[in-house]
Amino acid sequence: MGLTSDNIVVTAVVAAVLLFAATIWLWPRLAGRGVTAVLGRVGMLLATQLTVFAAFGLFANQSFGFYGSWADLFGKEDEPGVVVNHDASGNRVRVTETRQVPVDGSSSPKVAGRIEKVNIQGPVSRIASRAYVYLPPEYFQPRYAGRKFPAALVLTGYPGTTEALIKGLKYPQTAHRLAEDGRMQPTVLVMMRPTVAPPRDTECVDVPDGPQTETFFTKDLRKAVSEHYRVGRKARNWGVIGNSTGGYCALKMAMRHPGAFSVAAGLSPLYKAPIDATTGDLFGGSARLERENDLLWRLDHKPAPPVSLLVSSSERGEKNYRETMRFVNKAKALNRNGEPIRISSMILDTGGHNFNTWRREVPAALEWMGGRLSAR
């Protein structure tokens, strides 16, 4: 059973309940002072606590996507890397697996759409990374055969797993439902972790003498996907959305590269890159680079980009609430002064920095983004 499967969680919960019941039932028989009785009580208590701990841990991992597999959990993930071919004609997207979209009804791609697991090669950034690409049902229908689709890059937080975007935040299922209800145009979703140089958290920065993550997302990925799928190549065809670290990446890449993304949504985003043990020195000691990756600083000191931005937070439960309101107010002031930036916000009364909060925000964020992207 996979680490993130429902079966393993249910098995752990059932084992915890059965051991708890067995402990209560057998406790009178183990009430003596002998060595056997004492060891029996200790063993029952330890086994019960272990299964309860395992059940909570497995449920938390499934909900928040800390580890994607048993090998990932035990540090044994050894899937070989992808060779990047740097010739002009190389195919930069390689499909390695296809799967049905987990929605009710038909399994036909013309009805349910399809998810493809792919390897994406970046010749400019020299980065290669895995992703899941959701293709809506319309992509396979004859009447749309000559049509290109808008696309949205969907990013997890750090460390995050791409599977969590499908199983936890349910991006493909939500996009399918919104399009079916006429609330969102059919859109291709490219779902990834922002950690394309694991285990380092690069915060989507082009690290001096290090991983060129920003270049991978803003240049290589868009070009590769547009060449392989019927997706537009212009900024108006592309949006980017993410939560937490992925939210910071989304906002930053649109603000710094309006020629790549015209629309960005940050769910519970940061507004500047943290510097800690997981990131290392992201800016090579350059105060200038650090400032230019600070989103609040950019609003004060750089020309406002012609992009549409959405930010979310909660009045109670989110640590970024005050910074979010500062960001919104600065962008609003720029817009009132005739600058081309457009800002929207989604502020909940309560909601923590977790999947439950983001699940409440994803439908509205996708609908908002779908209304601002162009298929032409």
Side-chain angles (χ1 to χ4, degrees):
M1 290 182 285
L3 181 62
T4 60
S5 70
D6 292 334
N7 290 338
I8 192 69
V9 176
V10 170
T11 299
V13 170
V14 170
V17 171
L18 290 177
L19 273 171
F20 178 78
T23 300
I24 298 299
W25 180 261
L26 295 175
W27 197 260
R29 301 184 186 183
L30 301 172
R33 297 185 178 181
V35 173
T36 301
V38 171
L39 291 177
R41 293 197 297 271
V42 170
M44 294 297 290
L45 287 173
L46 286 177
T48 301
Q49 290 178 347
L50 181 62
T51 54
V52 170
F53 176 80
F56 275 105
L58 288 165
F59 176 76
N61 183 70
Q62 186 190 59
S63 299
F64 296 102
F66 298 119
Y67 299 96
S69 66
W70 293 107
D72 189 19
L73 174 64
F74 293 109
K76 302 295 185 182
E77 181 62 66
D78 58 0
E79 182 173 340
V82 182
V83 176
V84 178
N85 298 314
H86 297 289
D87 59 278
S89 60
N91 185 5
R92 299 186 178 98
V93 174
R94 181 166 61 89
V95 180
T96 61
E97 176 188 324
T98 62
R99 64 170 71 175
Q100 178 185 346
V101 179
V103 296
D104 296 333
S106 172
S107 61
S108 168
K110 294 180 181 179
V111 177
R114 187 166 72 197
I115 295 173
E116 296 186 346
K117 185 177 182 180
V118 301
N119 289 326
I120 299 176
Q121 300 179 353
V124 179
S125 63
R126 297 179 178 268
I127 288 174
S129 187
R130 293 186 294 273
Y132 285 99
V133 177
Y134 163 69
L135 302 171
E138 291 80 2
Y139 193 89
F140 303 96
Q141 296 171 5
R143 62 191 176 117
Y144 290 93
R147 172 179 166 177
K148 289 191 175 182
F149 291 80
L153 172 62
V154 184
L155 298 173
T156 69
Y158 176 84
T161 64
T162 312
E163 288 277 355
L165 297 171
I166 301 171
K167 295 181 177 179
L169 295 180
K170 302 184 185 301
Y171 271 95
Q173 302 93 310
T174 304
H176 181 278
R177 186 180 71 251
L178 291 172
E180 201 171 44
D181 293 343
R183 296 165 54 194
M184 177 185 179
Q185 62 179 316
T187 302
V188 172
L189 304 181
V190 184
M191 297 171 285
M192 301 186 66
R193 298 192 301 169
T195 312
V196 293
R200 188 175 186 181
D201 174 15
T202 60
E203 295 287 324
C204 300
V205 169
D206 277 352
V207 181
D209 299 319
Q212 303 296 288
T213 312
E214 191 170 18
T215 294
F216 174 79
F217 284 125
T218 59
K219 293 182 180 179
D220 286 334
L221 179 136
R222 293 176 61 257
K223 179 176 175 60
V225 171
S226 299
E227 289 177 348
H228 189 82
Y229 297 103
R230 298 199 314 275
V231 167
R233 298 171 180 264
K234 298 179 180 179
R236 64 173 180 264
N237 310 131
W238 277 87
V240 54
I241 179 173
N243 58 274
S244 192
T245 297
Y248 164 70
C249 288
L251 298 174
K252 181 184 73 171
M253 289 191 293
M255 293 175 70
R256 284 171 55 85
H257 301 274
F261 301 103
S262 62
V263 184
L267 309 183
S268 307
L270 307 172
Y271 294 94
K272 63 182 296 185
I275 302 297
D276 56 28
T278 65
T279 65
D281 182 4
L282 293 175
F283 307 109
S286 169
R288 177 184 61 81
L289 285 178
E290 186 169 359
R291 286 194 304 269
E292 290 182 355
N293 283 270
D294 183 326
L295 305 189
L296 290 166
W297 182 90
R298 292 192 70 86
L299 290 179
D300 287 333
H301 298 89
K302 291 289 185 178
V307 293
S308 295
L309 305 177
L310 169 68
V311 293
S312 80
S313 188
S314 304
E315 291 187 27
R316 295 187 299 279
E318 273 288 6
K319 295 180 180 179
N320 77 335
Y321 174 69
R322 290 185 179 178
E323 279 195 320
T324 296
M325 298 315 300
R326 285 180 61 203
F327 185 86
V328 169
N329 290 332
K330 286 177 181 290
K332 284 169 59 178
L334 289 171
N335 182 260
R336 284 195 299 267
N337 290 333
E339 299 291 342
I341 191 169
R342 293 190 295 171
I343 185 71
S344 302
S345 64
M346 184 177 1
I347 308 298
L348 304 179
D349 291 335
T350 61
H353 198 77
N354 56 54
F355 272 40
N356 184 59
T357 298
W358 299 325
R359 275 191 292 266
R360 296 161 60 194
E361 297 171 341
V362 165
L366 281 179
E367 184 175 356
W368 172 88
M369 179 168 288
R372 285 158 177 78
L373 291 176
S374 171
R376 298 182 179 180

